[in-house]
Amino acid sequence: MKSLSEDEEFDVIVVGGGLAGLNTAIMCATRHLKVALFERNKMGGFLATLYPSKIIPNYPGFPEGIVAIELVRNWLRHLRFSGVKVKNETVLDVAKGLTVTTDKKKYKSKVVVIATGTKPRRLGIPNESKFSKEGRGVYYFPSHPEDFLGKKVLVIGGGDTAIDAALELLNLADEITLVHRRESFRAFDENVEKVRKSGLVDLILNGEVVAIKGRNRVEKLVMKQEGKKLEKRVDAIMIAVGLVPNNEAFKHLGLRTDERGFIMTDRAQRTNIEGIFAVGDITYVGLRLITVAAAHGAIASHHIYSYVKKPYWARET
Ligand code: NAP
């Protein structure tokens, strides 16, 4: 059998280039582990792909907030000087052992870290997927808020993504409606208050959107509120009804997850499979924040170092 070249064997393979993956990779490399980081899309996770222009209000050290893509650029500068091998490849499979198969090659590693995050949940209503194609009116966040200037936009959901989307659109959209299926919200109270106080968002509570209508793009929405059916003309709809884990490449491994597929870990970020760790939004955490993702990276790297190098103090951690 052909043996793998040095470039194909690592101490640590991190799958996913959001903050949890980046920080795990950087901190492992700082401890002189040989690390590869695989990302099939853009580095920086949701901050780069979903909301590059959003001002992140709660990252320590930036009291006025910082634009998401600026934060990502800083992380990437850090990554560049860390010694981590970055590979723009799609991980197709991870086998116990640990072999990682991508769309280009096979690799071996002592540790695999799953940091593939989440994607927006689909609502599953008629016309949603047809109109979610470029510019047809279904979005999962206003990634380029300026595109909504003068538009009639309807946001669905009662979590932080929905409330943040409504706040992003204030002073841009002509009309903002937010539909939530309950009376109260699960988003941060402070931001819900900002939405309420703005006087610019029409709140439809105990309501539900059941269909999207239009010929080539979104034109109208059909809603139900307390048994009544309503129709509303809109230019765009923002669906923010939660997140689902990106776990396709790992499903067969027998990882312990919750009922929604989020990976269970112990306090060292270890999964139930030997050598496999998980960090960030794909794990079962009550709080999905970038500061939590960064902390997962620090915790995981510490325990990965112990696992790979087996220093004398390892059993204390
Ligand atoms: P989320 O917290 O799971 O909220 C999803 C919302 O969608 C809930 O209000 C839920 O209603 C509603 N929903 C779910 N299924 C629905 C359906 N079929 N029809 C209508 N409504 C439905 O998701 P998220 O807002 O995307 O946030 C995900 C995580 O990221 C959270 O931990 C959040 O705190 C975090 N996050 C933080 C920030 C920030 O720090 N600023 C920003 C974005 C996200 P119910 O309330 O009735 O369940």
Side-chain angles (χ1 to χ4, degrees), residues 20 35 44 67-68 86 97 102 135 178 180 183 188 200 217 227 249 255 288:
V35 186
V67 176
V86 177
T102 74
L178 193 147
H180 178 37
E183 195 79 37
F188 289 118
L200 296 170
R217 52 161 297 114
L255 289 165
R288 296 199 158 74

Side-chain angles (χ1 to χ4, degrees), residues 36-302:
L37 172 66
F38 290 81
E39 171 57 61
R40 64 180 169 190
N41 196 354
K42 276 189 191 172
M43 300 290 279
F46 272 174
L47 273 72
T49 55
L50 207 58
Y51 34 76
S53 60
K54 180 173 159 184
I55 295 176
I56 304 297
N58 50 6
Y59 198 73
F62 298 95
E64 272 86 43
I66 176 164
V67 176
I69 201 69
E70 279 301 313
L71 207 45
V72 172
R73 284 192 192 116
N74 282 324
W75 297 337
L76 296 185
R77 284 217 324 268
H78 200 158
L79 178 73
R80 200 168 150 220
F81 298 110
S82 66
V84 173
K85 269 236 159 45
V86 177
K87 293 180 181 280
N88 186 215
E89 295 175 30
T90 303
V91 171
L92 301 174
D93 183 59
V94 176
K96 286 181 190 167
L98 296 166
T99 309
V100 174
T101 307
T102 74
D103 51 346
K104 299 207 175 112
K105 269 189 186 179
K106 265 193 188 338
Y107 300 87
K108 285 283 288 174
S109 188
K110 293 177 185 136
V111 167
V112 169
V113 182
I114 302 174
T116 45
T118 57
K119 56 185 170 233
R121 183 205 301 279
R122 302 293 189 249
L123 192 51
I125 53 174
N127 284 324
E128 177 182 1
S129 40
K130 183 168 140 200
F131 294 153
S132 62
K133 303 202 174 74
E134 193 73 20
R136 288 178 174 220
V138 170
Y139 300 84
Y140 294 90
F141 198 79
S143 304
H144 303 285
E146 61 287 356
D147 292 349
F148 298 91
L149 188 70
K151 300 266 165 64
K152 291 183 172 55
V153 187
L154 184 137
V155 182
I156 307 175
D160 286 307
T161 305
I163 291 293
D164 284 4
L167 290 173
E168 285 282 307
L169 294 167
L170 289 183
N171 307 318
L172 275 174
D174 209 30
E175 202 181 289
I176 309 169
T177 307
L178 193 147
V179 181
H180 178 37
R181 64 182 177 184
R182 292 179 201 276
E183 195 79 37
S184 52
F185 292 87
R186 62 167 75 214
F188 289 118
D189 294 340
E190 189 194 349
N191 292 336
V192 175
E193 265 320 287
K194 278 189 198 160
V195 165
R196 288 190 197 275
K197 280 199 178 137
S198 73
L200 296 170
V201 181
D202 181 18
L203 295 177
I204 299 186
L205 302 176
N206 301 315
E208 172 185 20
V209 173
V210 290
I212 305 170
K213 286 187 175 174
R215 258 161 302 160
N216 296 312
R217 52 161 297 114
V218 173
E219 289 172 19
K220 262 195 228 167
L221 291 178
V222 185
M223 291 184 272
K224 273 193 189 157
Q225 191 191 27
E226 285 155 8
K228 276 187 275 165
K229 209 168 169 184
L230 327 161
E231 282 203 351
K232 187 166 180 59
R233 283 213 159 267
V234 291
D235 303 305
I237 167 172
M238 215 63 67
I239 300 178
V241 294
L243 304 169
V244 290
N246 285 319
N247 56 10
E248 296 77 12
F250 319 105
K251 269 192 168 155
H252 63 287
L253 282 168
L255 289 165
R256 206 154 66 83
T257 68
D258 72 357
E259 70 290 351
R260 298 162 305 164
F262 289 98
I263 300 171
M264 312 291 268
T265 65
D266 64 8
R267 65 186 178 86
Q269 299 305 130
R270 285 179 289 240
T271 70
N272 60 314
I273 310 272
E274 171 87 26
I276 302 187
F277 290 66
V279 291
D281 283 359
I282 193 156
T283 64
Y284 172 82
V285 275
L287 196 57
R288 296 199 158 74
L289 290 179
I290 46 178
T291 42
V292 173
H296 278 186
I299 295 166
S301 64
H302 177 69

